[in-house]
């Protein structure tokens, strides 16, 4: 008997004028993605349902929570397209509107509006000497004072804006904030300044070791993080805070690509713990086996071992 010839599925194609309307009517039913999460610590389910519309030109998402009694809370609706997004909070009867588009090549407009609070922000972004250099002017709505000016470049960004003095309500001063990054001695040095606070951080990393000292000025809060990779499966992380003498340690062991064992201790909360991960810890449920991520965690308080607790977190995705 001759083997049955597979049938080709119709696809969306552009019409003779390149408009694509002929293919638009051949689009099938949009795929629905449903994701459910449960955390035993809060005993609350989180459900999300989303689908892409108009050949991926827009996305619609519905999310809500429900407890063990079936009570629904925090229902929210989100609609996102290429130039516009709407986030609607059903309980608060409030909406967050965002829009962004390119006026001319290299010149963009962005706007945000919180409907209930009647507050928002508008911004103009211009490319300078290529996309790596940008200049942005942004202002809150209703407008108070001069707009904030931000200059972005490959090594970071710098912002200037007016702010009210706490002691004098009607006096406004010019405030500066920014972040700078630079490669020094096979590592990355980062300096971040905001509200008269300077955070300095240096990160050195190679195939086996990561060393990250950091200090905050003027508080002189100094900390140091150290990570050591023994092989492709085992890794040890340690962090010490010199201003408080607190420290934490975490040991990770990869059983396979989607299976991980972790154990650690945090001196600040005096808590030891151990957990098992099924599915990539930082990845999405789509890439996990059976599109499901599971975490089992045992927490052991140092001061009260009898109150140890076993918790679990499950995330499952269905494509309909």
């Amino acid at each position: 008997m001759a083997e049955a010839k597979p049938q080709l599925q119709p696809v969306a194609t552009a019409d003779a004028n390149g408009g694509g309307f002929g293919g638009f009517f051949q689009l099938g039913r949009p795929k629905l993605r449903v994701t459910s999460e449960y955390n035993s610590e809060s005993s609350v389910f989180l459900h999300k349902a989303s689908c892409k519309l108009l050949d991926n030109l827009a996305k619609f998402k519905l999310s809500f929570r429900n407890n063990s009694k079936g009570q629904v809370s925090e229902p929210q609706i989100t609609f996102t397209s290429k130039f516009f997004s709407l986030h609607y909070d059903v309980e608060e009867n409030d909406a967050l509107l965002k829009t962004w588009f390119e006026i001319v090549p290299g010149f963009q407009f962005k706007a945000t509006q919180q409907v209930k609070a009647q507050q928002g922000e508008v911004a103009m972004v211009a490319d300078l000497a290529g996309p790596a250099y940008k200049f942005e002017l942004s202002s809150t709505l209703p407008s108070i004072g001069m707009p904030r000016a931000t200059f972005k470049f490959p090594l970071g960004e710098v912002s200037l804006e007016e702010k009210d003095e706490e002691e004098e309500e009607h006096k406004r001063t010019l405030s500066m904030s920014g972040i700078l990054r630079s490669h020094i001695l096979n590592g990355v040095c980062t300096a971040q300044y905001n509200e008269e606070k300077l955070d300095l951080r240096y990160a050195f990393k190679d195939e086996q070791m990561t060393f990250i000292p950091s200090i905050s000025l003027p508080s002189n809060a100094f900390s140091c993080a150290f990570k050591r990779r023994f092989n492709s499966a085992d890794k040890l992380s340690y962090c010490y805070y010199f201003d408080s003498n607190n420290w934490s340690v975490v040991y990770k062991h990869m059983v396979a690509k989607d299976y991980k064992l972790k154990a650690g201790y945090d001196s600040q909360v005096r808590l030891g713990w151990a957990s098992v991960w099924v599915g990539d810890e930082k990845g999405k449920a789509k890439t996990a086996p059976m599109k499901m991520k599971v975490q089992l965690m045992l927490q052991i308080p140092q001061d009260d071992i009898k109150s140890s607790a076993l918790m679990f977190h499950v995330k499952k995705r269905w494509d309909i």
Side-chain angles (χ1 to χ4, degrees):
M1 181 181 295
E3 183 179 355
K5 184 177 179 180
Q7 298 295 321
L8 296 178
Q9 297 296 325
V11 294
T13 57
D15 58 13
N17 298 324
F21 293 104
F24 173 80
F25 293 102
Q26 298 182 29
L27 297 177
R29 179 182 60 84
K31 293 183 178 179
L32 180 65
R33 182 181 68 187
V34 179
T35 304
S36 295
E37 293 185 58
Y38 177 76
N39 193 329
S40 63
E41 184 176 8
S42 59
S43 297
V44 172
F45 286 90
L46 172 61
H47 304 285
K48 298 179 182 179
S50 64
C51 67
K52 294 182 179 180
L53 309 172
L54 304 177
D55 196 18
N56 296 337
L57 293 179
K59 182 178 180 180
F60 178 82
K61 182 172 71 172
L62 168 66
S63 65
F64 63 92
R65 300 177 184 270
N66 73 281
N67 54 24
S68 57
K69 298 180 180 179
Q71 298 174 333
V72 177
S73 63
E74 301 180 25
Q76 298 182 358
I77 300 173
T78 304
F79 176 83
T80 306
S81 64
K82 185 177 180 180
F83 303 110
F84 173 78
S85 72
L86 165 66
H87 185 92
Y88 181 68
D89 190 322
V90 179
E91 287 185 347
E92 297 294 332
N93 193 23
D94 192 11
L96 176 64
L97 306 176
K98 293 183 179 181
T99 184
W100 54 91
F101 55 88
E102 192 174 49
I103 301 177
V104 295
F107 195 77
Q108 297 177 339
F109 172 81
K110 299 187 297 184
T112 303
Q113 178 70 21
Q114 192 78 37
V115 176
K116 199 170 185 178
Q118 296 185 353
Q119 296 179 350
E121 182 179 270
V122 293
M124 297 287 187
V125 184
D127 293 343
L128 304 176
Y133 296 86
K134 295 180 181 292
F135 180 73
E136 177 179 323
L137 281 178
S138 59
S139 178
T140 58
L141 296 176
S143 178
I144 301 177
M146 298 295 292
R148 179 175 68 249
T150 302
F151 176 59
K152 300 180 181 180
F153 49 97
L155 297 180
E157 64 179 60
V158 177
S159 298
L160 294 174
E161 64 177 318
E162 282 188 332
K163 289 189 175 181
D164 291 325
E165 289 285 351
E166 296 182 358
E167 298 178 356
E168 301 183 19
E169 295 182 359
H170 301 287
K171 184 178 180 181
R172 300 181 63 85
T173 60
L174 191 63
S175 175
M176 183 180 71
S177 62
I179 182 170
L180 297 174
R181 302 183 186 90
S182 179
H183 290 270
I184 301 176
L185 299 176
N186 296 327
V188 179
C189 184
T190 304
Q192 184 171 0
Y193 180 79
N194 189 27
E195 300 288 345
E196 299 183 353
K197 177 182 177 182
L198 177 63
D199 294 326
L200 299 175
R201 182 178 183 267
Y202 178 75
F204 171 85
K205 183 177 181 181
D206 59 18
E207 295 181 355
Q208 296 181 339
M209 184 186 71
T210 301
F211 179 65
I212 308 176
S214 61
I215 186 171
S216 180
L217 301 173
S219 63
N220 294 326
F222 180 67
S223 65
C224 184
F226 175 81
K227 300 179 182 181
R228 177 71 164 85
R229 182 177 293 278
F230 301 99
N231 49 55
S232 60
D234 299 282
K235 182 178 180 181
L236 178 68
S237 303
Y238 176 81
C239 189
Y240 185 79
Y241 303 88
F242 290 84
D243 57 323
S244 60
N245 291 329
N246 291 325
W247 58 276
S248 62
V249 61
V250 177
Y251 183 81
K252 301 178 183 179
H253 175 71
M254 294 287 296
V255 180
K257 177 184 177 181
D258 296 304
Y259 301 90
K260 180 187 298 185
L261 302 176
K262 298 175 63 176
Y265 176 79
D266 191 332
S267 68
Q268 183 175 5
V269 293
R270 300 175 63 84
L271 180 70
W273 56 271
S275 67
V276 179
W277 273 97
V278 178
D280 187 1
E281 180 180 357
K282 297 181 180 180
K284 298 182 179 180
K286 178 182 179 180
T287 60
M290 299 175 59
K291 297 183 180 180
M292 181 172 65
K293 294 174 58 176
V294 180
Q295 181 195 21
L296 299 176
M297 174 177 283
L298 175 63
Q299 292 187 349
I300 307 176
Q302 181 178 345
D303 300 326
D304 188 7
I305 298 180
K306 294 182 179 181
S307 62
S308 300
L310 179 63
M311 300 176 294
F312 63 93
H313 181 197
V314 181
K315 183 176 181 179
K316 171 63 176 173
R317 168 175 163 169
W318 294 268
D319 292 328
I320 305 174

